[in-house]
Amino acid sequence: MGKHMALHKALRYFFILFALAFLTACGGGGGGSSTPALKSSDITLDGKPVQGLNFSSTGGTTDSGGTTASDGKFSYATGSQIAISVGDIAIGTVSAADLSDGGTLTLESLLDDYSGTDPLITDLATLLLENTDPSSGVVVAPSELAALNPVITAILTVNGKPAVNADYSTVVDSSVTTNRTVSLTSGATNNAGRFSYDSLSVVTFKIGSIEIGSVRGLDIPDTGTVSIESLIAGNPAAASNPTLQNLPTILAEDQGGSVARYTLPDNLASLDEVAATILTLGGKPVSGVDYVSGSMSGTTSQNGVFQQDGSQDISFQVAGLDLGPVTTDELPTSIEALVAASTSTNPLIQNLTELLKELNDPEASNPIASFRLYDLEQQLLKPSSVPQNRVLGMNLETPQAESDHINQPLITADIFRVARPFQESSCPDIVYTAAGWPKRIPASCSEADTANGISKYAFTRILQFAPGLSFPEGRYTVLYEGTGNISYSGMGCDVVRVATNHDTIDVKAANACPDSDGSGAGDNYNNKRGLEVSITATDPTDPVRNIRIIAPGGICKGNPFDRVASASSCGSEPFVSFVELLKHNRNAIVFNPDYLKFARDFRVLRMMNIMEASPRRPESQTYDPCDGLTESTTPTYESCLLKAASWNDRPTMDSPYWGGSYKTSVLNRQGVPLELTIALANQLQAHPWYTIPHNAGDGYMSKYATLIADELDDSLVAHIEYSNEVWNAGFWGHHYVQQKGYNDPVISAMEDYPFRNTDYSVRTRYYAKRATEMFKIFEAEFADNSRLKRILGGQHKFHSLAQNLLDYEDTSEHTDAVAIAPYFHGCWSREFVNGAGDTVDHSSCYNTDTVPMTMSEVTSLEQVFEVMDGDYDDSVTDASLRGDADNVEATIKLIQPQIDVANSHGVELYAYEGGAHLTVNWGDTLISDERKESLWDYFEAANRDDRMGAYYTRLLDGWKEAGGKQFVLFTAPQSFNRYGFFGIKEHLGKTREESPKYDAALTFQEALLGCWPEFVEDGC
């Protein structure tokens, strides 16, 4: 049995090997194949390969199939028929005999042979190209033909929710050229707000017969939503149909804000009743407008809705400005319609529509009108542009000088704001209102001391000694309230009583009008009388008050820098009349255009003097408020010295006037309101620099900070400085800070600084302490220190002061800059009389080798410049060998030590003041009065000389090169006077060519083109 099995296996292997050998022989020795070779071609559309088409090759030497790749290639066998399809839908067939291996089949030719009616196939080429990015090199076919259906759906919305029951229909988009059939649709949006459309159609939506709007299919966003708001915005006809224009708001009011969808009515007119109670601005619902209708009153809602009491008329108010009334027949109404119907001459009402639009975001769907009168006024007076590339700052001057013969720049269009206080020259028996207006002129005033300049009436002067070009001359308008009589004299002539409480007067510096009793004509040389105003009678129950004396003309909206006579000068821009604006609101902040034109050229405006924030020490006042007080009297001298400032006593817009002469106590002479300075900064887009009073308490500082933070434009930086020149014994702040230092138990117990006395030590430490406390109060209010510049006051020739201040506790951590005052002039004299009455040498001036000449020795204008141009060697230890420490070279060289201190503490160096400081030392008993008068003449000429401009350029260049940053010049236009020649020009009317200091400063600034590296880099 085993042998048979072995034989059987052997025979089986034999036959297998025989069969393999036979098969090999039949194959021609192994050189053939059982599979025929396939050919390939590519399919294109518009010259681009088509990816994703299915192909099937049958009936040839072999079958094949697949999907075209990104190169568009497909394979087929000889003799086959190739079927091309999208998904499982055939779009055409081609014979292999009609193709060449490696050739191209165009989809266009394949579709030309299609004889069916399926629009998806007849339009396939167009549909594929519509769905292909033109920048792509490949056309991609979808996996299903249905995906190319041009009819798609989107959602119509209103108030962000589906809009139901809107009729829609489509037409072919005529702006598009296409080879395919555009599918047209129509119907009503369903409960989801859906509608269908072809992308090559235009969809129009309607409510009944009223068109809401249209949208191109190609413009419907990828989000698949169309808003009724956008349709209305694109429909010009909506402007004449208030119901349609406010449809979103009306639907929200009619159906509520909590619904899931809004259902549109079959007839738009059914919503007219709701539309009638919606107030609009620019076609949009406006909120914040007060209204009254019969017994109903309120404020328009966010949707502009107001209530009407039956058929009662409705009156509206914006910021207290009356609009209307409107009758039922005139509803619905708009701000535009209310303004057009108004007969008011108030520029705010005349321009209200544009003002509200400017104050709102242009894209706001629901604008607001809840602005203050102040906001509207400032918008009306806002310049359309301000100068670019500003780098310098300017100190602004007091509204009126203490001395009668000094002319200060006129700040506002109402010149009564700089009237001398009535109390200075009026009958002392006059009784005043709480606001400061004369309330009663008693009979005893007829016996007033007129021989010594005291009037029998309530009397004031305005613009005394002002030259003609320093203020607008012409026909002024006088407006006031109350019952009484006003007379005018001095430079106020030709009075015309226009109406009750309304006069006009001719105001010119050359006028010489008689006073109220007919005397004084012709006696006004150099305008020494100014404009004289007398209240000769007043009713105690209705006293004369709120006097405005308003400059002629006005401005063209957008340009508050140029005064014009009338609307004829404004072209298409609105004319803003000073009289009309101030007639309706005495407290409107209307600046003198010439004042703005000057101030607009400066990046920073220092408000110290304009707010009179740095009074001289009590003893130096003409009327010393602490006179006769000692430490044994009640109140004591110290309590007078340390009296705290009261926020309630500060000047306000309700004050009759701002400032005063030397006759007004320094306690009442406080300059302009903080609000005015903020308005000035905002209008000019200039950073304000505030000197906070030395005696301001924490509460005062907090209110100060709050007002600035709330009202100052967010783009502006508030520069804050505690007091001014506390190192200078001439100022009240010096003595206040020093005494507070002595009273501080911690500070007074500390050792004196090396080589410094106790006065210096306690004063310096307390100043650093209080300044830091102030900085922290402002930091807490602003919350963002980027809107603050915290400044410590230093001393130009004494860099150790800055070092001591910054080293005190955490002061440097809360400080951004130290500020000094780089002034140049020259040694006054070689010797002086000290406090003991001895004549002693000036250490840095007596050496004739290093100081060849002093100012008191000059005998010509040229020598004035020679003194200022002397040498100074800061490397020499001995002060008597260095040279004149007050000349230009010394002033520049002394900047570097200050820079070094600032840099070592990570702060910047600013100049709070600076420039020429030529003054006559009238108190020098070693020099004759005649000699002093001669020197005054030389100094006056020097400040008008072009060489002075060159010295300003030299100083500013030296400051910049040393690394100083903000430089604030001293001071705004001011007439040259006995106390100095500090005005950058002599008055507002002086030209640049007549003012070398002014010209040099602007030339320096202009040359930088806004590029001061690491400081102002807008132009870099």
Side-chain angles (χ1 to χ4, degrees):
M1 183 66 174
K3 291 181 179 179
H4 288 292
M5 289 293 292
L7 179 61
H8 180 75
K9 284 183 177 181
L11 289 173
R12 187 171 63 179
Y13 290 146
F14 170 79
F15 283 116
I16 291 172
L17 291 172
F18 176 81
L20 289 171
F22 177 79
L23 288 173
T24 300
C26 291
S33 172
S34 62
T35 304
L38 295 177
K39 299 178 179 180
S40 73
S41 296
D42 55 86
I43 187 166
T44 65
L45 174 60
D46 197 30
K48 300 176 181 180
V50 183
Q51 176 183 346
L53 292 174
N54 295 331
F55 63 89
S56 175
S57 170
T58 59
T61 56
T62 186
D63 294 341
S64 66
T67 303
T68 58
S70 60
D71 57 3
K73 290 190 179 298
F74 61 95
S75 59
Y76 56 92
T78 302
S80 66
Q81 293 290 315
I82 305 99
I84 306 295
S85 62
V86 177
D88 57 359
I89 304 298
I91 60 173
T93 303
V94 63
S95 172
D98 294 331
L99 300 173
S100 60
D101 190 13
T104 297
L105 167 67
T106 67
L107 186 59
E108 292 91 336
S109 64
L110 186 68
L111 293 173
D112 284 344
D113 295 333
Y114 177 70
S115 58
T117 59
D118 187 340
L120 293 182
I121 298 177
T122 57
D123 297 331
L124 181 61
T126 302
L127 291 171
L128 285 174
L129 291 175
E130 282 180 9
N131 287 274
T132 297
D133 184 345
S135 64
S136 174
V138 179
V139 177
V140 179
S143 59
E144 296 290 340
L145 185 62
L148 292 175
N149 189 343
V151 177
I152 51 182
T153 65
I155 298 174
L156 181 67
T157 67
V158 63
N159 298 322
K161 297 176 181 180
V164 179
N165 198 40
D167 295 328
Y168 71 91
S169 60
T170 62
V171 295
V172 177
D173 187 346
S174 61
S175 66
V176 176
T177 301
T178 182
N179 295 321
R180 73 171 177 85
T181 301
V182 178
S183 300
L184 302 182
T185 60
S186 63
T189 56
N190 65 15
N191 280 344
R194 289 197 174 275
F195 61 94
S196 60
Y197 69 100
D198 187 312
S199 62
L200 298 187
S201 67
V202 175
V203 190
T204 298
F205 298 88
K206 293 183 177 182
I207 297 177
S209 62
I210 304 300
E211 181 179 328
I212 301 173
S214 299
V215 61
R216 298 173 67 233
L218 292 174
D219 291 337
I220 295 177
D222 294 339
T223 57
T225 59
V226 175
S227 71
I228 284 180
E229 290 85 345
S230 65
L231 294 172
I232 294 172
N235 181 4
S240 59
N241 188 331
T243 304
L244 176 59
Q245 191 172 42
N246 296 295
L247 182 61
T249 300
I250 295 170
L251 291 172
E253 286 294 320
D254 187 51
Q255 300 177 28
S258 61
V259 297
R261 61 187 64 83
Y262 288 99
T263 302
L264 274 61
D266 295 331
N267 183 358
L268 185 64
S270 65
L271 296 176
D272 285 351
E273 185 175 348
V274 180
T277 58
I278 294 178
L279 183 66
T280 62
L281 171 67
K284 302 174 181 179
V286 58
S287 65
V289 178
D290 296 328
Y291 65 86
V292 175
S293 175
S295 62
M296 294 183 172
S297 63
T299 303
T300 56
S301 69
Q302 181 180 355
N303 291 324
V305 175
F306 57 88
Q307 292 183 310
Q308 184 182 14
D309 186 356
S311 59
Q312 296 279 343
D313 293 352
I314 308 101
S315 295
F316 298 92
Q317 273 194 349
V318 175
L321 302 171
D322 293 325
L323 300 168
V326 176
T327 66
T328 299
D329 293 340
E330 294 170 315
L331 296 177
T333 190
S334 63
I335 295 292
E336 291 88 338
L338 293 170
V339 169
S342 175
T343 59
S344 174
T345 57
N346 189 337
L348 291 176
I349 292 179
Q350 294 173 338
N351 294 280
L352 184 61
T353 299
E354 290 309 312
L355 294 176
L356 290 176
K357 289 180 179 179
E358 291 166 3
L359 287 167
N360 277 280
D361 185 330
E363 302 302 318
S365 58
N366 294 68
I368 63 173
S370 52
F371 297 102
R372 301 167 300 176
L373 192 63
Y374 168 85
D375 300 319
L376 297 175
E377 289 167 346
Q378 293 309 298
Q379 186 64 33
L380 180 66
L381 300 168
K382 181 179 181 179
S384 57
S385 64
V386 294
Q388 302 298 304
N389 302 330
R390 300 176 294 181
V391 296
L392 294 174
M394 179 58 64
N395 277 271
L396 301 182
E397 270 310 311
T398 57
Q400 44 184 310
E402 288 183 54
S403 176
D404 289 337
H405 68 280
I406 299 176
N407 177 242
Q408 303 286 62
L410 178 63
I411 300 170
T412 62
D414 174 9
I415 66 173
F416 194 82
R417 291 295 194 172
V418 292
R420 293 301 200 194
F422 285 115
Q423 293 87 341
E424 289 190 358
S425 301
S426 301
C427 168
D429 295 338
I430 290 176
V431 178
Y432 294 88
T433 68
W437 296 100
K439 180 178 182 180
R440 185 169 60 87
I441 304 174
S444 60
C445 286
S446 62
E447 304 299 325
D449 187 7
T450 55
N452 288 307
I454 302 301
S455 173
K456 297 183 292 184
Y457 309 113
F459 173 85
T460 182
R461 296 183 192 274
I462 307 169
L463 300 178
Q464 188 178 15
F465 290 101
L469 293 176
S470 68
F471 68 94
E473 295 187 313
R475 197 81 190 164
Y476 276 66
T477 298
V478 183
L479 303 172
Y480 58 95
E481 297 161 23
T483 303
N485 184 68
I486 299 178
S487 68
Y488 314 92
S489 52
M491 66 168 173
C493 300
D494 301 328
V495 181
V496 174
R497 305 291 183 186
V498 177
T500 302
N501 298 3
H502 181 175
D503 303 336
T504 62
I505 53 174
D506 182 56
V507 178
K508 292 185 178 68
N511 281 350
C513 312
D515 58 25
S516 58
D517 62 8
S519 64
D523 182 20
N524 195 30
Y525 179 70
N526 281 342
N527 194 21
K528 67 179 182 180
R529 295 169 62 186
L531 172 60
E532 297 171 336
V533 179
S534 297
I535 299 177
T536 58
T538 187
D539 183 344
T541 64
D542 184 27
V544 171
R545 63 195 180 276
N546 295 335
I547 300 173
R548 290 89 90 196
I549 304 181
I550 307 167
I555 61 167
C556 304
K557 187 175 183 295
N559 180 19
F561 308 118
D562 291 300
R563 186 174 63 90
V564 297
S566 65
S568 62
S569 301
C570 293
S572 61
E573 293 297 326
F575 171 66
V576 182
S577 164
F578 294 149
V579 170
E580 291 300 331
L581 196 55
L582 288 163
K583 176 171 70 177
H584 293 91
N585 179 23
R586 182 216 177 218
N587 288 346
I589 301 176
V590 185
F591 291 105
N592 172 15
D594 290 337
Y595 189 84
L596 291 180
K597 182 178 285 189
F598 168 77
R600 69 179 176 178
D601 285 323
F602 300 98
R603 177 181 182 269
V604 168
L605 300 175
R606 189 166 181 248
M607 308 296 184
M608 179 190 72
N609 275 352
I610 196 174
M611 298 180 72
E612 303 204 43
S614 181
R616 290 177 286 107
R617 71 184 190 277
E619 296 84 353
S620 69
Q621 304 291 332
T622 303
Y623 298 101
D624 179 1
C626 301
D627 185 30
L629 300 180
T630 67
E631 295 316 307
S632 63
T633 63
T634 302
T636 63
Y637 175 81
E638 183 176 322
S639 66
C640 177
L641 179 70
L642 302 183
K643 182 181 179 181
S646 170
W647 183 255
N648 293 332
D649 290 340
R650 69 188 185 89
T652 67
M653 295 305 299
D654 289 326
S655 303
Y657 24 65
W658 302 315
S661 78
Y662 65 92
K663 298 177 184 177
T664 295
S665 169
V666 66
L667 300 179
N668 300 322
R669 199 171 61 235
Q670 299 186 59
V672 304
L674 176 57
E675 291 85 346
L676 182 141
T677 67
I678 296 173
L680 178 64
N682 286 342
Q683 275 200 32
L684 298 181
Q685 285 295 286
H687 307 289
W689 181 324
Y690 291 106
T691 303
I692 313 302
H694 60 268
N695 56 343
D698 288 357
Y700 190 110
M701 290 179 177
S702 180
K703 290 183 174 74
Y704 205 116
T706 298
L707 189 57
I708 296 174
D710 289 348
E711 300 294 345
L712 186 65
D713 192 297
D714 288 344
S715 66
L716 299 177
V717 176
H719 295 53
I720 54 172
E721 166 194 25
Y722 173 56
S723 194
N724 170 64
E725 292 190 1
V726 295
W727 51 266
N728 188 338
F731 292 113
W732 197 316
H734 167 97
H735 302 279
Y736 176 94
V737 169
Q738 184 169 292
Q739 188 61 51
K740 294 290 280 188
Y742 275 114
N743 293 351
D744 187 301
V746 175
I747 289 176
S748 61
M750 300 173 73
E751 292 184 5
D752 292 345
Y753 288 111
F755 311 109
R756 304 296 169 203
N757 62 25
T758 305
D759 283 357
Y760 171 88
S761 299
V762 298
R763 183 176 65 246
T764 299
R765 289 183 174 121
Y766 184 81
Y767 176 72
K769 174 186 177 181
R770 188 59 181 149
T772 306
E773 290 171 349
M774 183 193 77
F775 295 155
K776 292 177 180 178
I777 290 171
F778 273 76
E779 290 166 6
E781 181 58 42
F782 275 71
D784 179 5
N785 289 350
S786 67
R787 292 187 63 207
L788 288 174
K789 282 292 182 184
R790 300 157 296 177
I791 302 166
L792 286 175
Q795 186 178 6
H796 177 55
K797 296 180 182 178
F798 185 40
H799 65 276
S800 294
L801 175 59
Q803 183 77 49
N804 294 151
L805 292 172
L806 291 166
D807 283 343
Y808 183 79
E809 294 187 352
D810 62 344
T811 296
S812 65
E813 298 174 18
H814 297 273
T815 301
D816 298 302
V818 171
I820 60 174
Y823 282 111
F824 64 86
H825 42 103
C827 282
W828 167 250
S829 64
R830 300 191 186 279
E831 54 187 15
F832 67 100
V833 178
N834 65 17
D838 300 324
T839 300
V840 296
D841 290 335
H842 275 294
S843 59
S844 61
C845 299
Y846 76 87
N847 190 331
T848 56
D849 291 330
T850 55
V851 182
M853 182 176 292
T854 65
M855 286 295 179
S856 63
E857 297 166 342
V858 303
T859 58
S860 68
L861 176 60
E862 286 69 24
Q863 288 177 343
V864 173
F865 287 101
E866 288 173 10
V867 172
M868 290 190 293
D869 197 29
D871 296 327
Y872 183 77
D873 187 350
D874 56 341
S875 66
V876 177
T877 304
D878 188 341
S880 68
L881 301 178
R882 293 178 195 151
D884 188 340
D886 293 321
N887 64 31
V888 178
E889 182 175 292
T891 301
I892 294 172
K893 286 185 175 180
L894 289 172
I895 295 170
Q896 190 58 55
Q898 301 279 0
I899 289 287
D900 294 340
V901 172
N903 288 345
S904 68
H905 289 81
V907 302
E908 295 179 322
L909 184 67
Y910 284 9
Y912 63 85
E913 296 171 14
H917 199 295
L918 286 178
T919 58
V920 174
N921 183 357
W922 298 103
D924 190 340
T925 58
L926 302 178
I927 300 174
S928 70
D929 290 343
E930 183 180 3
R931 183 86 184 100
K932 293 172 189 172
E933 293 290 348
S934 175
L935 291 171
W936 193 94
D937 291 338
Y938 290 140
F939 294 170
E940 180 184 46
N943 277 275
R944 293 173 177 159
D945 194 290
D946 289 342
R947 286 171 289 185
M948 184 62 83
Y951 282 7
Y952 265 66
T953 301
R954 185 174 163 191
L955 172 63
L956 292 170
D957 283 339
W959 172 264
K960 179 176 177 293
E961 290 167 8
K965 298 299 191 296
Q966 185 66 64
F967 195 107
V968 184
L969 295 154
F970 192 86
T971 186
Q974 181 187 70
S975 59
F976 295 163
N977 58 78
R978 180 180 179 85
Y979 307 103
F981 311 88
F982 295 105
I984 195 78
K985 58 180 184 174
E986 295 176 64
H987 58 72
L988 288 173
K990 281 289 185 182
T991 65
R992 184 166 170 175
E993 292 72 22
E994 296 173 301
S995 311
K997 296 185 292 187
Y998 178 58
D999 179 62
L1002 293 187
T1003 300
F1004 169 83
Q1005 179 168 260
E1006 292 158 356
L1008 294 177
L1009 297 175
C1011 182
W1012 188 324
E1014 300 180 358
F1015 172 41
V1016 177
E1017 298 186 333
D1018 296 342
C1020 295

